[in-house]
Each structure stands twice: as structure tokens, then as C-alpha cells.
Amino acid sequence: MTSRPTTANASALKQDYQDFLRKASTLFPKVDQKLLLNILQLQTTYSDWEGSVMLKVVYPAGTDMDKKKEWIFQKFQRMASIEEDKTLRFKAIHIHIEDLDRLLSEDPNIEFITGSATLAPTEAYSA
């Protein structure tokens, strides 16, 4: 496969994208960058996107996960399950990047947030 010469426009766009990725990882260091970019894409592309996201919130070992589960329930009205003794997993709606930012500022114990965002409504079922 032969490499194609890069045009000035292509180089500029790639550089802007790399700069954007660096800024995203600086602003949201505790968020999986794939999740962050996926939410940002859905949020900006579809003005009526409901923010349907499966979140996994990772805490340090030894954290009282029952208290964190209760906090998640109070905040999102969603029941979380505990995985690997330090991760809360739950399906939420109305999660945008602003909500991730608030979540991290409200709970400094969070080590990392990962998960997946989907365009489909939260309550939709596939056949």
C-alpha cells in the first residue's frame, strides 16, 4: 500500500483533531475518552438525544459501595449493580458531558468513568 501525500488542509485538520483530543483528556482525565467523544458526538449531532448511557463508575478498593449505590440512586433514580467490588454499573438517561463534569466534581473519590452511549431510547428492546 502506498502512502498518499498529505495536503495542507488534511494536515491542519489532523492537527486540530489531535489538539482537541489532548484538550479532552486534560479536561476529563478520569473519563474514558471513547465514552466522552461518543457522548459529545450524540449530544451535538442530535439535539433531541435523550442521553442514554451505560455508565461504569470505578472507585478505589475499600470504598463503601453500598453508600455509593445509594448516592447514585438518589442522584439518577437508577439502581446500580456492583462489579468487581469497586465498580458501579447502571443505565442512565439525560447524561451529557456537563453531567459527567458535575459527577466528578460532586464525588472526588471516583477513580474513573467508562461505559457506552447509545442513540436508542433507554427503554427500547431489540428483537
Side-chain angles (χ1 to χ4, degrees):
M1 182 175 200
T2 59
S3 64
R4 298 181 188 152
T6 304
T7 65
N9 288 341
S11 290
L13 187 60
K14 284 189 213 175
Q15 184 60 52
D16 286 349
Y17 183 68
Q18 291 300 321
D19 292 344
F20 172 74
L21 292 178
R22 273 191 289 282
K23 187 169 187 175
S25 68
T26 300
L27 295 173
F28 291 87
K30 293 182 174 185
V31 178
D32 174 21
Q33 294 300 289
K34 185 177 178 183
L35 171 66
L36 181 68
L37 294 176
N38 194 220
I39 290 173
L40 187 59
Q41 177 198 17
L42 291 168
Q43 180 179 343
T44 57
T45 303
Y46 305 99
S47 61
D48 62 344
W49 181 59
E50 71 168 12
S52 179
V53 180
M54 175 63 72
L55 287 180
K56 292 184 178 187
V57 181
V58 182
Y59 288 95
T63 299
D64 184 341
M65 297 305 287
D66 289 326
K67 281 186 180 176
K68 296 298 182 182
K69 245 176 98 168
E70 179 61 28
W71 182 72
I72 291 292
F73 183 78
Q74 294 299 322
K75 184 158 188 60
F76 298 103
Q77 289 74 49
R78 298 287 186 201
M79 189 57 86
S81 62
I82 299 173
E83 296 181 345
E84 301 170 19
D85 296 327
K86 63 179 202 161
T87 302
L88 290 181
R89 179 179 180 269
F90 63 100
K91 183 81 172 185
I93 55 171
H94 307 297
I95 300 294
H96 295 99
I97 61 169
E98 297 84 358
D99 301 300
L100 293 178
D101 201 21
R102 276 192 290 278
L103 186 63
L104 288 165
S105 68
E106 290 174 11
D107 189 350
N109 294 327
I110 294 173
E111 284 189 335
F112 195 68
I113 298 174
T114 189
S116 59
T118 180
L119 185 57
T122 332
E123 305 302 328
Y125 296 95
S126 57

